[in-house]
Amino acid sequence: MRQRTLRPAPAPASVAQRRQQLLPNGVLGMLIFVITEAMLFAGMISGFLIVKANAPEWPPLGQPRLPAGETAFNTAALLASGASLFFANRAYKVWPNRARLPLLAALALGAVFVVFQGIEWVALIREGLTLTSSTHGAFFYLIVGTHALHAVAALVALGWSAWLLSQRRLRPGTLQAVSLFWYFVVGVWPILYFQVYLA
Amino acid sequence: MAETIATPGAHDDHGHEHHDEGWVKKYLFSTDHKIIAMQYMFTGMAMAVIGGFFAYAFRMQLAFPGMEVPLWGVVTSAEYNSLVTNHGTIMIFWVAMPVLIAAFGNYLIPLMCGVDDMVFPRLNRLSYQIFFVSAVVLIWSFFVEGGGFGGAWTAYPPLSAKAEYSLTPSGASLWLIAVALEFVAFLMGGINFVTTAMNSRAKGMGIYDIPMVVWMIVIASILFMASVGPLIAGAVMLFFDQQLGTAFFDPAQGGDPILWQHLFWFFGHPEVYVVLLPAMGIVADVICVMGRKKLFAYRTVLFTAIGTGVLSFTVWAHHQFIAGIDPRMAHVFTITTLLISIPIAEMCFCYIATLYGGSLTLNTPMLWALSFIATFLIGGVTGIFLGASGADIYFHDTYFVLAHFHYTFFPIAIIGTFAGFTFWFPKMFGRMMNETLGKIHFWGTIIPFNLIFLPLFVLGAAGQHRRIYNYDNFPELALPWMQDLRILATLSLIVMLGFQLVFFYNCYVSLRRGKKAPANPWNANTLEWLAPSPPPHGNFGDKLPEVYRGPYEYNHPDRSEDFWPQHVPN
Ligand SMILES: [Cu+2]
């Protein structure tokens, strides 16, 4: 296993490394991936909107309303997490160790979001909203569940970055790429929240 | 700052140390882009053999209903459905995509951009491994209880959503899983292609010095990744409908079956360009080298391809003209669909202008490239009838549609592949291919191909509907002349499949006894011809090339030689 350190690399042999790049490889790769992800959510949301528009009543008869108020609190936590990560990135550029605190704060706030969303799910299932109870439930769990999976994956990546940072092995490209993914998870949520919970 | 610290790059992940690797490590678990390209190429070809065999089995049933088909047996109606479904699925997702994008992309992008490997080599290896698993899952789905999925490659619900309709309780879900895995594999590949071509090129290679085939694969990858999201969403929903009892596509419980068609075709139409563009790129490179001329209007071709890609997102509902969409919407999609034929025609004109006045060498790769333009034009022109909603009401779901898209997909997936394969064969394997066998194979493929699908245009125009297992049950479609045309198409298919043996024999003979290929047998300009044939691990040795000009400087007036390689200073 090769050690990755923050030392400048020995004279790079590859053209890939000598080129002035607009975006580092990891960030560009992640950007393309995020475009695909954005289209995935666009597909789900447009399907949801079409079914909702054609339904005589929404939410369908006998189905619980979604807890928009409690979720607003979660939304705030998630947005705060995104902001915190933004400050972590800025601090990292000045002095990597200073990124530690905002990075951990972003992690904690993200975890709050995921845990409270989970609690909300348990309550909704008790009230009779399930995957098969109606298309309302099906779309709710599909869209919010897909987002939750992304949030968990992104938190794992953030935790991994925090660990690398503590080992002094975190490279700027890695932090930028992981951050980009988390910004996407944070940024897409208000749209989902508005369409699924409020509109 | 990022530049001073080790950037993630090819070297970091694999380096140039030549350790003694075993065969398994070298050929099965390599991160070398050329090995991965060959893995994709040979897997794709193996799948093409399966897909071709399926076509043989169901064409025999159509020509001689109820006959005991040699090597298969009697084709039951369920088997017939499964055969046509999986023929389409295999040929598009397991042949056209892996060969045109993954194999040629992996092989050509680092070589033509003058670097040693992809920027994410391990992601690249993982991409192939997932692709391989997806192929295994698909083949497995043929053998489960109820047999392989038979709801057509478009998998419309409710037929695909409920086991009581499809009668393939496990086959339908395995089919979906296989397709989903395949998409994951191409997502990884696509990220690699775009990042490598944009971020790691030889010194001096500006964006207008990139060979057209690389551009086309990059644009195709972006198109794929921008269009596949909604289909993945739809596939998850369909899987839930199949396995968890949700009702996304079940109108009885508030769902919407047409929704699937939108999600599917939002991907499905750009997908045509995803496979078309790499083939167009291959053809561009072949005709420039074999015609000894500069590509006519490089930038026009490039921007036209990008424009086509953008436009291809706005045409999908031409597949739903008779599915009950608002006729006013149908007008909109008629207009966009007819519009998209303009940029593609423009590209074809640029290619013809490239050929005009060139000194053409009519060898095997060139014959394939020229026949690509000719046959694809027929495919494009017949598409105009289907894009116009008025005509489509009659033609929808007839063999006219089928013949139309085989006149597009066959040039793309088969002719384009053979053009590229015979053109880069000397580079890939270090041997020249046998020209005589190559030409026999070419004529033995191209003539029967036309004899398969021209009769099907006629049958479609006469009203022959698709997805019918036995026309004897439809007296007005079972007229003797119609049956004769069906038999002609089937016999032509058998002849064409037979001539593919010539290709495999040619590969075998050329690999064993072919003339040793020099580094640059065609006197071509692009960087891959600078590397030895076949290129070693790391491609260019210790000194990576630098680029001084565009890729297509043939017959430049200031030079005595008729070519001017990109890496030569002056
Ligand atoms: Cu289309």
Side-chain angles (χ1 to χ4, degrees):
Chain A
M1 180 76 190
R2 236 136 113 228
Q3 283 293 316
R4 296 214 171 92
T5 59
L6 284 172
R7 273 183 297 111
S14 157
V15 171
Q17 291 164 346
R18 267 191 280 132
R19 247 189 119 72
Q20 288 283 325
Q21 295 163 347
L22 213 56
L23 290 169
N25 293 335
V27 177
L28 180 59
M30 183 59 81
L31 186 67
I32 299 164
F33 181 64
V34 161
I35 292 172
T36 308
E37 294 280 41
M39 291 304 291
L40 172 75
F41 281 100
M44 288 181 180
I45 281 289
S46 48
F48 169 72
L49 292 179
I50 290 171
V51 167
K52 189 167 110 173
N54 290 334
E57 200 177 346
W58 200 266
L61 221 59
Q63 289 285 290
R65 298 208 153 261
L66 298 173
E70 288 91 321
T71 313
F73 167 74
N74 293 351
T75 308
L78 190 64
L79 292 176
S81 168
S84 183
L85 188 62
F86 176 74
F87 289 118
N89 270 285
R90 283 185 60 172
Y92 183 87
K93 279 186 193 141
V94 185
W95 176 241
N97 272 348
R98 251 188 245 164
R100 195 137 174 217
L101 206 64
L103 184 58
L104 290 176
L107 249 177
L109 285 165
V112 166
F113 171 80
V114 170
V115 169
F116 277 84
Q117 285 293 108
I119 293 171
E120 185 189 300
W121 277 36
V122 174
L124 281 170
I125 291 170
R126 283 217 191 97
E127 287 176 39
L129 187 76
T130 65
L131 257 181
T132 50
S133 67
S134 67
T135 45
H136 181 225
F139 270 110
F140 172 77
Y141 289 110
L142 176 76
I143 295 171
V144 178
T146 307
H147 183 265
L149 281 179
H150 281 77
V152 170
L155 285 176
V156 170
L158 274 181
W160 175 63
S161 306
W163 183 76
L164 285 179
L165 182 67
S166 70
Q167 304 286 304
R168 296 167 167 276
R169 280 168 51 203
L170 181 65
R171 293 184 299 179
T174 309
L175 181 64
Q176 282 174 26
V178 170
S179 301
L180 183 59
F181 189 55
W182 185 243
Y183 293 150
F184 169 73
V185 173
V186 173
V188 79
W189 174 254
I191 303 170
L192 305 182
Y193 174 64
F194 178 76
Q195 295 291 0
V196 177
Y197 287 80
L198 297 181
Chain B
M1 176 160 183
E3 281 73 33
T4 57
I5 292 170
T7 44
H11 270 267
D12 236 21
D13 287 328
H14 95 165
H16 271 212
E17 325 78 70
H18 288 270
H19 12 251
D20 267 333
E21 294 160 325
W23 186 88
V24 170
K25 190 142 186 271
K26 191 167 169 203
Y27 289 107
L28 295 186
F29 296 101
S30 172
T31 54
D32 187 316
H33 72 100
K34 299 181 291 295
I35 304 280
I36 294 171
M38 288 304 125
Q39 290 171 333
Y40 267 116
M41 179 77 80
F42 293 129
T43 314
M45 283 186 177
M47 293 303 276
V49 171
I50 299 176
F53 177 69
F54 283 8
Y56 153 79
F58 67 71
R59 273 309 320 174
M60 287 298 276
Q61 159 66 23
L62 289 173
F64 313 105
M67 178 206 190
E68 181 129 0
V69 178
L71 302 175
W72 181 274
V74 175
V75 178
T76 66
S77 53
E79 280 173 2
Y80 177 85
N81 287 339
S82 175
L83 285 171
V84 292
T85 300
N86 286 297
H87 166 74
T89 309
I90 287 175
M91 289 306 195
I92 291 170
F93 293 132
W94 275 273
V95 178
M97 298 269 295
V99 172
L100 282 168
I101 300 199
F104 283 114
N106 266 311
Y107 198 85
L108 296 176
I109 289 175
L111 274 168
M112 288 185 137
C113 292
V115 290
D116 42 17
D117 209 326
M118 291 284 178
V119 290
F120 306 118
R122 283 180 301 185
L123 193 66
N124 210 12
R125 177 178 60 187
L126 186 62
S127 158
Y128 174 74
Q129 288 166 342
I130 293 177
F131 173 74
F132 184 79
V133 171
S134 79
V136 171
V137 172
L138 185 78
I139 291 170
W140 177 29
S141 82
F142 307 153
F143 299 103
V144 293
E145 198 198 332
F149 178 54
W153 81 281
T154 51
Y156 284 3
L159 185 55
S160 57
K162 294 246 188 297
E164 61 255 48
Y165 305 144
S166 70
L167 303 177
T168 50
S170 346
S173 292
L174 284 176
W175 181 90
L176 256 185
I177 292 171
V179 172
L181 284 173
E182 203 253 7
F183 288 164
V184 172
F186 283 116
L187 219 60
M188 293 175 171
I191 288 172
N192 240 323
F193 297 158
V194 179
T195 312
T196 304
M198 292 299 106
N199 264 2
S200 92
R201 295 193 300 273
K203 197 173 166 202
M205 185 182 262
I207 60 167
Y208 298 123
D209 301 329
I210 301 175
M212 200 43 81
V213 62
V214 173
W215 261 128
M216 293 294 176
I217 291 172
V218 168
I219 298 170
S221 301
I222 295 173
L223 277 186
F224 173 77
M225 286 182 292
S227 65
V228 77
L231 180 60
I232 293 177
V236 172
M237 288 152 73
L238 187 56
F239 187 78
F240 280 14
D241 273 13
Q242 287 172 351
Q243 295 294 334
L244 302 178
T246 55
F248 288 111
F249 302 120
D250 183 358
Q253 297 175 64
D256 184 356
I258 304 293
L259 176 60
W260 166 265
Q261 299 188 18
H262 286 294
L263 294 173
F264 182 88
W265 287 113
F266 184 83
F267 162 80
H269 197 92
E271 168 70 12
V272 177
Y273 298 94
V274 169
V275 289
L276 166 66
L277 293 181
M280 294 283 278
I282 289 169
V283 170
D285 270 67
V286 174
I287 60 175
C288 288
V289 173
M290 298 306 172
R292 314 309 293 167
K293 271 201 56 195
K294 192 171 179 164
L295 182 67
F296 184 86
Y298 175 98
R299 291 187 193 195
T300 305
V301 172
L302 173 61
F303 290 120
T304 304
I306 294 172
T308 311
V310 174
L311 204 53
S312 74
F313 285 94
T314 65
V315 301
W316 80 90
H318 60 216
H319 296 272
Q320 282 119 286
F321 283 155
I322 66 157
I325 65 167
D326 189 323
R328 285 164 298 183
M329 286 297 284
H331 283 310
V332 173
F333 283 98
T334 296
I335 291 166
T336 55
T337 305
L338 297 189
L339 273 180
I340 206 168
S341 54
I342 295 172
I344 290 294
E346 189 179 322
M347 284 172 79
C348 287
F349 283 131
C350 286
Y351 286 14
I352 293 167
T354 305
L355 292 167
Y356 180 77
S359 45
L360 311 189
T361 311
L362 288 179
N363 55 9
T364 316
M366 186 60 158
L367 287 175
W368 286 115
L370 294 177
S371 67
F372 171 89
I373 301 172
T375 46
F376 186 78
L377 273 177
I378 300 179
V381 167
T382 50
I384 295 184
F385 298 93
L386 302 169
S389 61
D392 184 65
I393 290 170
Y394 177 71
F395 283 125
H396 187 89
D397 251 353
T398 65
Y399 268 63
F400 191 89
V401 178
L402 187 146
H404 153 70
F405 74 69
H406 278 86
Y407 260 98
T408 59
F409 266 99
F410 188 92
I412 292 169
I414 309 296
I415 297 181
T417 297
F418 281 135
F421 190 80
T422 51
F423 182 68
W424 281 291
F425 186 93
K427 181 56 58 189
M428 289 170 176
F429 305 105
R431 302 255 181 188
M432 302 303 287
M433 270 190 125
N434 185 313
E435 269 297 309
T436 315
L437 287 172
K439 282 183 179 143
I440 293 172
H441 171 233
F442 169 77
W443 291 110
T445 305
I446 206 77
I447 296 172
F449 158 68
N450 285 287
L451 287 176
I452 299 168
F453 293 106
L454 286 177
L456 299 187
F457 275 124
V458 179
L459 285 170
Q464 177 179 315
H465 218 262
R466 289 169 74 187
R467 294 176 182 142
I468 288 176
Y469 152 69
N470 183 347
Y471 288 94
D472 288 348
N473 302 325
F474 297 84
E476 61 276 32
L477 294 178
L479 305 174
W481 71 268
M482 296 181 103
Q483 197 57 32
D484 289 346
L485 286 186
R486 276 176 211 130
I487 292 171
L488 171 63
T490 300
L491 294 181
S492 305
L493 173 74
I494 293 169
V495 171
M496 189 180 87
L497 290 177
F499 269 99
Q500 302 317 303
L501 296 176
V502 178
F503 169 73
F504 289 114
Y505 178 69
N506 189 0
C507 287
Y508 172 77
V509 170
S510 304
L511 285 175
R512 290 290 302 268
R513 294 198 297 272
K515 202 166 97 241
K516 278 245 188 292
N520 191 359
W522 313 123
N523 289 343
N525 284 345
T526 40
L527 292 178
E528 80 274 29
W529 303 105
L530 168 66
S533 301
H537 188 63
N539 295 344
F540 297 97
D542 294 331
K543 201 171 162 294
L544 290 162
E546 288 189 24
V547 166
Y548 299 92
R549 66 188 58 76
Y552 300 117
E553 295 297 337
Y554 295 102
N555 274 315
H556 195 279
D558 302 346
R559 272 179 74 84
S560 54
E561 264 178 328
D562 75 340
F563 67 116
W564 201 358
Q566 287 188 282
H567 59 86
V568 176
N570 43 55

